[in-house]
Amino acid sequence: MGLQIDCEKFETQEYEAFGERLTESLEVLRALMARPGFGEGAPSLGAELEMFLVDAHGRPLPVNRQVLGQTKDPRVTVELNRFNIECNLRPGPLAGRPFSAMRAEFESALAEVARAAATQGARVAVMGILPTLREADLRPGSLTAMPRYRAMSTSIRRSRGEAPFRVVIQGEDPLSLEWDDVTLEGANTSLQYHLRVLPADFARLYNACQLATAPVLAVSGNSPFLLGRRLWDETRVALFRQAVDDRGEGSGEAPRPGRVSFGHGWAREGAWELFAESVALHPPLLPVLAPASPREHLTEDGLPRLEELRLHQGTVWNWNRAIYDPADGGHLRIEMRALPAGPTVEDMLANGALLLGLTLGLGGEVERLLPSMPFAYAQDNFLRAARHGLDAVLLWPERPGHAPRALPAPDLVRRLLPVAREGLVGAGVDPDEADALLGIIQARVGAGCTGARWQRKMLAYLEAHMPRPDALGALLERYLTHAASGRPVHEWPGA
């Protein structure tokens, strides 16, 4: 998040001062974006991967800080709960063979985390939600013992008036529970891709990404279980929204959206409006001030870090999020947050190739498509894809003046694969690399087997022979064995 957070509670005047800094930051960002040449540079690609630490029996092992202490790799850091860990992969150019470079990053980072974890008796599980999680694993003591996480938890609960979090998720085994802390969010792990884009292209590429996210999520699901219940193919989507909801109940205030959302409309002006929206709609959670105000750095050649704005944006979790980064002369990125972790490096690369390719491939025609695609339809597509996966029926804009057409997710993805290829190759990605990864998606659709589908079928098989808790543990062991082979999930044996 940039700024160092050393305290856990804040006074009213600190929130007020931080709010003033956010307003100032928006003014400075607008001025910065008006500078000739701001944000120019070749497109680049980066990623963040979250993981679970588990013990020899597949139970979550809360030793992330100890594991972090066993490595000097700057890519490795801790996450919200003590059994979560994260790798921030080094970015590289989009043109050429970016996914080959990212494969090497994934493999070296995972190997290093696995090495460090082994010193603490831990293994690494790369999946959207750990099937062996129990309620006891997510109690307040599971929060990583760092001020920034405790401060975030305290601030969200303060905003809620200390009311418990209510989580309700439908599925084959519906879930309904109340929780006292944000630790439920640590049940989720994801893979987040970052695409650097030119400011002038931001709005159309962001909208294209929003449009593309649902079909990609439908063929990428890997999170079908939570606390022993069969829920959505991407249960993370339903859980995350409720697990960090900072809105109290019955406050009498005008209703406002939750901090986790798909967005509130198509982008029209570009990145600035998305930052302004975050500031307008969401009160600060972590009101920590930088030593100098943003204006002090806005000289003719100065580059403001906008630390308060970046900190605030890091506490508003849109599934596709605008990022300002002062590195490399200052630039903008789209952070694509919807994809789950796992099952394998090849699966994650293929998911990324499809999402990035569609973002780039649809970018040239998105302005023509949007008049026929109300934003509410795209939002509904996202929820359908998260809940039903390959069984989702999604609306897709055909041409101007015609209503969107309802298509089964597999049929839609098959139609979109050439668009994704065109987007990747048009951006300079090696055609053979694009074909290989999109071929994994095509084979996955043909086999009807995502990570979520494989887990569901395996649980049904195992549960015929043993109680569900034992079946979930056995499922995890098979998952880890197959994932270690490196073969994409559609090639895994079903029993």
Side-chain angles (χ1 to χ4, degrees), residues 10-59:
F10 304 95
E11 302 298 327
T12 300
Q13 57 268 29
E14 293 177 282
Y15 287 99
E16 293 173 350
F18 190 84
E20 293 174 1
R21 281 280 179 94
L22 289 178
T23 300
E24 181 182 333
S25 295
L26 289 175
E27 296 172 358
V28 169
L29 178 61
R30 187 189 286 278
L32 180 62
M33 292 178 65
R35 283 182 180 175
F38 167 76
E40 292 185 358
S44 62
L45 179 63
E48 306 169 56
L49 176 61
E50 301 164 347
M51 296 157 278
F52 294 101
L53 299 171
V54 300
D55 64 17
H57 305 289
R59 307 297 314 166

Side-chain angles (χ1 to χ4, degrees), residues 292-323:
S293 73
R295 284 199 187 95
E296 293 181 45
H297 294 284
L298 191 63
T299 62
E300 183 176 347
D301 299 316
L303 184 67
R305 296 188 60 80
L306 300 182
E307 290 164 300
E308 292 89 356
L309 185 60
R310 291 161 57 211
L311 175 60
H312 180 71
Q313 190 75 346
T315 65
V316 179
W317 296 282
N318 286 351
W319 290 106
N320 293 305
R321 185 162 64 181
I323 299 290

Side-chain angles (χ1 to χ4, degrees), residues 390-462:
L390 288 175
D391 288 336
V393 175
L394 306 176
L395 295 174
W396 195 255
E398 292 283 316
R399 55 191 186 277
H402 291 75
R405 182 180 176 188
L407 293 167
D411 293 347
L412 177 57
V413 170
R414 290 188 186 98
R415 290 182 54 177
L416 291 175
L417 283 171
V419 179
R421 184 185 191 278
E422 182 180 349
L424 292 172
V425 174
V429 175
D430 181 273
D432 290 340
E433 178 153 295
D435 289 340
L437 292 173
L438 295 178
I440 291 175
I441 299 295
Q442 185 173 25
R444 186 192 300 165
V445 171
C449 184
T450 62
R453 287 296 178 86
W454 184 89
Q455 291 186 55
R456 289 186 188 277
K457 291 179 180 178
M458 182 56 66
L459 179 63
Y461 169 78
L462 293 170

Side-chain angles (χ1 to χ4, degrees), residues 319-344:
W319 290 106
N320 293 305
R321 185 162 64 181
I323 299 290
Y324 164 75
D325 192 330
D328 193 23
H331 65 273
L332 300 174
R333 299 197 302 270
I334 300 172
E335 182 186 19
M336 304 167 179
R337 302 176 44 80
L339 296 177
T344 67

Side-chain angles (χ1 to χ4, degrees), residues 172-173 225 228-230 455-475 478 494:
E172 295 166 90
D173 311 305
F225 310 130
R229 292 169 174 84
R230 297 166 297 174
Q455 291 186 55
R456 289 186 188 277
K457 291 179 180 178
M458 182 56 66
L459 179 63
Y461 169 78
L462 293 170
E463 203 171 16
H465 304 283
M466 61 188 78
R468 180 168 294 182
D470 295 337
L472 289 167
L475 180 154
R478 295 188 183 209

Side-chain angles (χ1 to χ4, degrees), residues 281-298:
L281 296 181
H282 303 289
L285 290 183
L286 301 172
V288 178
L289 299 181
S293 73
R295 284 199 187 95
E296 293 181 45
H297 294 284
L298 191 63

Side-chain angles (χ1 to χ4, degrees), residues 44-48 89-92 102 192-196 333 356:
S44 62
L45 179 63
E48 306 169 56
L89 307 186
R90 289 180 287 252
M102 187 154 286
Q192 300 148 28
Y193 279 101
H194 288 246
L195 176 65
R196 175 174 175 169
R333 299 197 302 270
L356 290 156

